[in-house]
Amino acid sequence: KNQVEQSPQSLIILEGKNCTLQCNYTVSPFSNLRWYKQDTGRGPVSLTIMTFSENTKSNGRYTATLDADTKQSSLHITASQLSDSASYICVVSGASGTYKYIFGTGTRLKVLA
Amino acid sequence: GAVVSQHPSWVICKSGTSVKIECRSLDFQATTMFWYRQFPKQSLMLMATSNEGSKATYEQGVEKDKFLINHASLTLSTLTVTSAHPEDSSFYICSAMRAYSGSSYEQYFGPGTRLTVT
């Protein structure tokens, strides 16, 4: 069964600190892995997109890594800001021709002043 | 960019009535749109795939007669919740799929619609 698991489920950190969110998937065959940020009451916004051949992708203070062999990805947030408080969702898409996204369980991040 | 809008952003309706939610791709054409439902503290759950000019494809467990989907143009899909019940209260999110060169594609998400059924 195609699944995407994320950890931790929730996380609280102080402003300015770094954090790393984890994503493990069993989707096969695999095409792309995306990380989204979803603010409360809003739709998801894309942070990074990686194909199976990419190991790392950065977007400002967000850096995503991918190990296609172990089927693991991480999202590292540097120098966190209060505005980083949101849910972060790992999304995997299967082989070409399969347009559906498989959503992870999400990590709820709270950044405190 | 690729912008997707939803209307309304929130709606309150009485039990037994119907409510329509619109999803529009503002700057690109989308032959395929998706409708998701999200409960508090949970991730998005795909309800159905909306294809322009044809019937929607519903996920297992989603009642097609209750959640009517119409994709009448390349920029508009609508979701109508018929005979709404309080348990239909949820956050509904649509996405529009944009195709790029080769076989690559991307889903762009709308801002969501908060439905409350009283």
Side-chain angles (χ1 to χ4, degrees), chain A residues 69-87:
Chain A
D69 292 330
T70 62
K71 298 188 177 180
Q72 295 179 326
S73 176
S74 66
L75 179 69
H76 186 74
I77 304 175
T78 303
S80 61
Q81 301 176 357
L82 297 178
S83 58
D84 292 333
S85 295
S87 288

PDB file of all heavy atoms in Angstrom, chain A residues 69-87:
ATOM      1  N   ASP A  69      16.872   5.709  -2.185  1.00  0.00           N
ATOM      2  CA  ASP A  69      17.165   4.309  -1.850  1.00  0.00           C
ATOM      3  C   ASP A  69      16.459   3.882  -0.574  1.00  0.00           C
ATOM      4  O   ASP A  69      15.899   2.790  -0.492  1.00  0.00           O
ATOM      5  CB  ASP A  69      18.675   4.115  -1.707  1.00  0.00           C
ATOM      6  CG  ASP A  69      19.403   4.259  -3.036  1.00  0.00           C
ATOM      7  OD1 ASP A  69      18.790   3.952  -4.083  1.00  0.00           O
ATOM      8  OD2 ASP A  69      20.567   4.696  -3.030  1.00  0.00           O
ATOM      9  N   THR A  70      16.519   4.741   0.438  1.00  0.00           N
ATOM     10  CA  THR A  70      15.865   4.421   1.706  1.00  0.00           C
ATOM     11  C   THR A  70      14.445   4.963   1.761  1.00  0.00           C
ATOM     12  O   THR A  70      13.728   4.716   2.739  1.00  0.00           O
ATOM     13  CB  THR A  70      16.660   5.000   2.885  1.00  0.00           C
ATOM     14  OG1 THR A  70      16.700   6.421   2.766  1.00  0.00           O
ATOM     15  CG2 THR A  70      18.075   4.436   2.909  1.00  0.00           C
ATOM     16  N   LYS A  71      14.038   5.695   0.739  1.00  0.00           N
ATOM     17  CA  LYS A  71      12.702   6.276   0.662  1.00  0.00           C
ATOM     18  C   LYS A  71      12.435   7.197   1.851  1.00  0.00           C
ATOM     19  O   LYS A  71      11.409   7.079   2.539  1.00  0.00           O
ATOM     20  CB  LYS A  71      11.647   5.183   0.544  1.00  0.00           C
ATOM     21  CG  LYS A  71      11.805   4.354  -0.724  1.00  0.00           C
ATOM     22  CD  LYS A  71      10.650   3.395  -0.930  1.00  0.00           C
ATOM     23  CE  LYS A  71      10.831   2.648  -2.248  1.00  0.00           C
ATOM     24  NZ  LYS A  71       9.729   1.689  -2.503  1.00  0.00           N
ATOM     25  N   GLN A  72      13.381   8.097   2.057  1.00  0.00           N
ATOM     26  CA  GLN A  72      13.255   9.041   3.144  1.00  0.00           C
ATOM     27  C   GLN A  72      13.546  10.449   2.639  1.00  0.00           C
ATOM     28  O   GLN A  72      14.397  10.646   1.759  1.00  0.00           O
ATOM     29  CB  GLN A  72      14.216   8.698   4.281  1.00  0.00           C
ATOM     30  CG  GLN A  72      13.928   7.371   4.960  1.00  0.00           C
ATOM     31  CD  GLN A  72      14.925   7.070   6.073  1.00  0.00           C
ATOM     32  OE1 GLN A  72      16.099   7.421   5.986  1.00  0.00           O
ATOM     33  NE2 GLN A  72      14.444   6.427   7.129  1.00  0.00           N
ATOM     34  N   SER A  73      12.841  11.400   3.215  1.00  0.00           N
ATOM     35  CA  SER A  73      13.084  12.802   2.906  1.00  0.00           C
ATOM     36  C   SER A  73      13.041  13.586   4.201  1.00  0.00           C
ATOM     37  O   SER A  73      12.425  13.156   5.190  1.00  0.00           O
ATOM     38  CB  SER A  73      12.031  13.328   1.937  1.00  0.00           C
ATOM     39  OG  SER A  73      12.192  14.709   1.703  1.00  0.00           O
ATOM     40  N   SER A  74      13.700  14.713   4.199  1.00  0.00           N
ATOM     41  CA  SER A  74      13.651  15.589   5.353  1.00  0.00           C
ATOM     42  C   SER A  74      13.505  17.031   4.883  1.00  0.00           C
ATOM     43  O   SER A  74      13.903  17.378   3.771  1.00  0.00           O
ATOM     44  CB  SER A  74      14.914  15.440   6.209  1.00  0.00           C
ATOM     45  OG  SER A  74      16.048  15.905   5.497  1.00  0.00           O
ATOM     46  N   LEU A  75      12.920  17.840   5.743  1.00  0.00           N
ATOM     47  CA  LEU A  75      12.807  19.272   5.491  1.00  0.00           C
ATOM     48  C   LEU A  75      13.460  19.981   6.661  1.00  0.00           C
ATOM     49  O   LEU A  75      13.037  19.826   7.810  1.00  0.00           O
ATOM     50  CB  LEU A  75      11.351  19.702   5.360  1.00  0.00           C
ATOM     51  CG  LEU A  75      11.134  21.197   5.105  1.00  0.00           C
ATOM     52  CD1 LEU A  75      11.630  21.581   3.709  1.00  0.00           C
ATOM     53  CD2 LEU A  75       9.664  21.588   5.257  1.00  0.00           C
ATOM     54  N   HIS A  76      14.518  20.731   6.364  1.00  0.00           N
ATOM     55  CA  HIS A  76      15.243  21.445   7.401  1.00  0.00           C
ATOM     56  C   HIS A  76      14.890  22.926   7.328  1.00  0.00           C
ATOM     57  O   HIS A  76      14.964  23.529   6.246  1.00  0.00           O
ATOM     58  CB  HIS A  76      16.748  21.256   7.205  1.00  0.00           C
ATOM     59  CG  HIS A  76      17.576  21.843   8.304  1.00  0.00           C
ATOM     60  ND1 HIS A  76      17.675  21.274   9.556  1.00  0.00           N
ATOM     61  CD2 HIS A  76      18.329  22.975   8.338  1.00  0.00           C
ATOM     62  CE1 HIS A  76      18.456  22.006  10.310  1.00  0.00           C
ATOM     63  NE2 HIS A  76      18.873  23.052   9.601  1.00  0.00           N
ATOM     64  N   ILE A  77      14.505  23.474   8.454  1.00  0.00           N
ATOM     65  CA  ILE A  77      14.168  24.891   8.527  1.00  0.00           C
ATOM     66  C   ILE A  77      15.243  25.580   9.362  1.00  0.00           C
ATOM     67  O   ILE A  77      15.495  25.192  10.508  1.00  0.00           O
ATOM     68  CB  ILE A  77      12.780  25.121   9.150  1.00  0.00           C
ATOM     69  CG1 ILE A  77      11.726  24.342   8.358  1.00  0.00           C
ATOM     70  CG2 ILE A  77      12.436  26.608   9.163  1.00  0.00           C
ATOM     71  CD1 ILE A  77      10.331  24.401   8.974  1.00  0.00           C
ATOM     72  N   THR A  78      15.855  26.565   8.770  1.00  0.00           N
ATOM     73  CA  THR A  78      16.949  27.280   9.436  1.00  0.00           C
ATOM     74  C   THR A  78      16.457  28.599  10.007  1.00  0.00           C
ATOM     75  O   THR A  78      15.650  29.288   9.397  1.00  0.00           O
ATOM     76  CB  THR A  78      18.063  27.562   8.423  1.00  0.00           C
ATOM     77  OG1 THR A  78      18.492  26.319   7.839  1.00  0.00           O
ATOM     78  CG2 THR A  78      19.243  28.237   9.083  1.00  0.00           C
ATOM     79  N   ALA A  79      16.981  28.937  11.184  1.00  0.00           N
ATOM     80  CA  ALA A  79      16.663  30.224  11.809  1.00  0.00           C
ATOM     81  C   ALA A  79      15.159  30.492  11.781  1.00  0.00           C
ATOM     82  O   ALA A  79      14.681  31.446  11.159  1.00  0.00           O
ATOM     83  CB  ALA A  79      17.420  31.341  11.112  1.00  0.00           C
ATOM     84  N   SER A  80      14.431  29.656  12.461  1.00  0.00           N
ATOM     85  CA  SER A  80      12.969  29.705  12.387  1.00  0.00           C
ATOM     86  C   SER A  80      12.409  31.078  12.788  1.00  0.00           C
ATOM     87  O   SER A  80      12.983  31.803  13.609  1.00  0.00           O
ATOM     88  CB  SER A  80      12.367  28.627  13.292  1.00  0.00           C
ATOM     89  OG  SER A  80      12.745  28.851  14.644  1.00  0.00           O
ATOM     90  N   GLN A  81      11.280  31.386  12.173  1.00  0.00           N
ATOM     91  CA  GLN A  81      10.568  32.630  12.444  1.00  0.00           C
ATOM     92  C   GLN A  81       9.150  32.297  12.900  1.00  0.00           C
ATOM     93  O   GLN A  81       8.648  31.201  12.644  1.00  0.00           O
ATOM     94  CB  GLN A  81      10.534  33.504  11.187  1.00  0.00           C
ATOM     95  CG  GLN A  81      11.913  33.862  10.652  1.00  0.00           C
ATOM     96  CD  GLN A  81      11.860  34.640   9.368  1.00  0.00           C
ATOM     97  OE1 GLN A  81      10.790  34.888   8.812  1.00  0.00           O
ATOM     98  NE2 GLN A  81      13.024  35.055   8.881  1.00  0.00           N
ATOM     99  N   LEU A  82       8.527  33.247  13.560  1.00  0.00           N
ATOM    100  CA  LEU A  82       7.166  33.031  14.043  1.00  0.00           C
ATOM    101  C   LEU A  82       6.229  32.651  12.897  1.00  0.00           C
ATOM    102  O   LEU A  82       5.314  31.838  13.070  1.00  0.00           O
ATOM    103  CB  LEU A  82       6.636  34.277  14.754  1.00  0.00           C
ATOM    104  CG  LEU A  82       7.388  34.699  16.010  1.00  0.00           C
ATOM    105  CD1 LEU A  82       6.776  35.977  16.594  1.00  0.00           C
ATOM    106  CD2 LEU A  82       7.394  33.598  17.052  1.00  0.00           C
ATOM    107  N   SER A  83       6.487  33.206  11.727  1.00  0.00           N
ATOM    108  CA  SER A  83       5.639  32.937  10.566  1.00  0.00           C
ATOM    109  C   SER A  83       5.814  31.524  10.015  1.00  0.00           C
ATOM    110  O   SER A  83       5.059  31.094   9.138  1.00  0.00           O
ATOM    111  CB  SER A  83       5.929  33.943   9.450  1.00  0.00           C
ATOM    112  OG  SER A  83       7.297  33.874   9.079  1.00  0.00           O
ATOM    113  N   ASP A  84       6.804  30.804  10.529  1.00  0.00           N
ATOM    114  CA  ASP A  84       6.978  29.409  10.107  1.00  0.00           C
ATOM    115  C   ASP A  84       5.967  28.496  10.782  1.00  0.00           C
ATOM    116  O   ASP A  84       5.848  27.317  10.412  1.00  0.00           O
ATOM    117  CB  ASP A  84       8.387  28.914  10.434  1.00  0.00           C
ATOM    118  CG  ASP A  84       9.463  29.593   9.608  1.00  0.00           C
ATOM    119  OD1 ASP A  84       9.146  30.038   8.476  1.00  0.00           O
ATOM    120  OD2 ASP A  84      10.605  29.699  10.085  1.00  0.00           O
ATOM    121  N   SER A  85       5.267  28.986  11.772  1.00  0.00           N
ATOM    122  CA  SER A  85       4.246  28.183  12.457  1.00  0.00           C
ATOM    123  C   SER A  85       3.174  27.795  11.442  1.00  0.00           C
ATOM    124  O   SER A  85       2.485  28.648  10.878  1.00  0.00           O
ATOM    125  CB  SER A  85       3.625  28.980  13.602  1.00  0.00           C
ATOM    126  OG  SER A  85       4.571  29.258  14.600  1.00  0.00           O
ATOM    127  N   ALA A  86       3.053  26.494  11.207  1.00  0.00           N
ATOM    128  CA  ALA A  86       2.143  25.986  10.177  1.00  0.00           C
ATOM    129  C   ALA A  86       2.217  24.460  10.194  1.00  0.00           C
ATOM    130  O   ALA A  86       2.963  23.875  10.977  1.00  0.00           O
ATOM    131  CB  ALA A  86       2.532  26.506   8.800  1.00  0.00           C
ATOM    132  N   SER A  87       1.455  23.852   9.317  1.00  0.00           N
ATOM    133  CA  SER A  87       1.593  22.409   9.085  1.00  0.00           C
ATOM    134  C   SER A  87       2.449  22.210   7.849  1.00  0.00           C
ATOM    135  O   SER A  87       2.306  22.951   6.864  1.00  0.00           O
ATOM    136  CB  SER A  87       0.225  21.757   8.878  1.00  0.00           C
ATOM    137  OG  SER A  87      -0.486  21.688  10.081  1.00  0.00           O
TER     138      SER A  87
END
